[in-house]
Amino acid sequence: MKEIERVAQLLAEVNFILITGGANTRRVLRNVNRIAGALNYHCDIFYSYSAIILTVYNKTTEEKETIVKSIPHHGVNFNAISDISILSWRVLEKKLPIEVIEKELIHIKQKSHYNMYVMWFFVSLAGGSLAYIFGGDNHSNYLEFGISFLATLVGLAGRRILQLKKFNVFICWAWAAFVSVCVVNIFRLMVGEEYKNALAACVLWLIPGVPLINGFIDLLTGYIVAGIAKLSYAMVLIFMISIGFYLSLFIFGYELL
């Protein structure tokens, strides 16, 4: 493989790790340009939501190579983003060879993510805490804390089941909202209380904060296509949350007015 092809593959992989880890487009480009410049290359990149088009230029020989990299999914992995940023500065300052950079990227990709069950616990704890905070200084809020904690936990498990079965991501979000709200509604029917704070807090864990924030950042920094795509994706997720929320209220006969 020619060196320029190898560099193109390397930079495409850096883009892939950063984008799928939840980095905004400006941060991705800044890290990629840092590595490319240290290797004596320049790159032009077009970002869409599901793919990138990368063209690499050798500053000395003026050779160029174009590569298209698909982005099949978007997630959140801030550890990988931080590791790539640190690596890019090391490449710039220490002039690391491409062989070392490739090994470092493999190591970053193979790093284990946060333990899923630990994440579930803390996300559920956050959901319960929000329900408690919404109610102010009231001893009955401890019950709403417990209900929201359980609703969030069951919703996480319900979403995971559909994800393992390869359901569409929007269906997963609607189902998760439906399951979480159903847990609160079951307690409402059993005890006879409204539990409005738990009802409001039990689906907040589903709000797509990363694509919303990144979408606005991309728009403000001039990456219009990527920004609109991320915001559109986030809005559809929010719409599906509302569908699941409404269906549960409808089935359990909740009076909206």
Side-chain angles (χ1 to χ4, degrees), residues 147-163:
I147 293 172
S148 183
F149 179 95
L150 181 62
T152 302
L153 186 62
V154 175
L156 282 160
R159 185 184 67 174
R160 181 62 178 169
I161 291 171
L162 293 197
Q163 287 176 331

Side-chain angles (χ1 to χ4, degrees), residues 38-39 87 90-101 104:
L39 294 173
L87 174 62
R90 287 178 56 214
V91 172
L92 182 63
E93 294 169 359
K94 298 182 179 181
K95 302 299 180 182
L96 298 178
I98 189 170
E99 295 82 6
V100 175
I101 303 172
E104 290 284 347

Side-chain angles (χ1 to χ4, degrees), residues 127-140:
S129 300
L130 285 170
Y132 181 84
I133 292 170
F134 290 163
D137 188 14
N138 191 327
H139 290 295
S140 65

Side-chain angles (χ1 to χ4, degrees), residues 56-100:
V56 179
Y57 301 88
N58 187 308
K59 293 180 180 179
T60 303
T61 65
E62 297 186 354
E63 289 181 284
K64 62 181 179 179
E65 179 73 18
T66 298
I67 188 170
V68 178
K69 184 76 172 180
S70 176
I71 310 295
H73 68 276
H74 291 250
V76 180
N77 188 348
F78 295 135
N79 280 338
I81 296 173
S82 177
D83 288 342
I84 292 289
S85 180
I86 294 170
L87 174 62
S88 69
W89 282 111
R90 287 178 56 214
V91 172
L92 182 63
E93 294 169 359
K94 298 182 179 181
K95 302 299 180 182
L96 298 178
I98 189 170
E99 295 82 6
V100 175

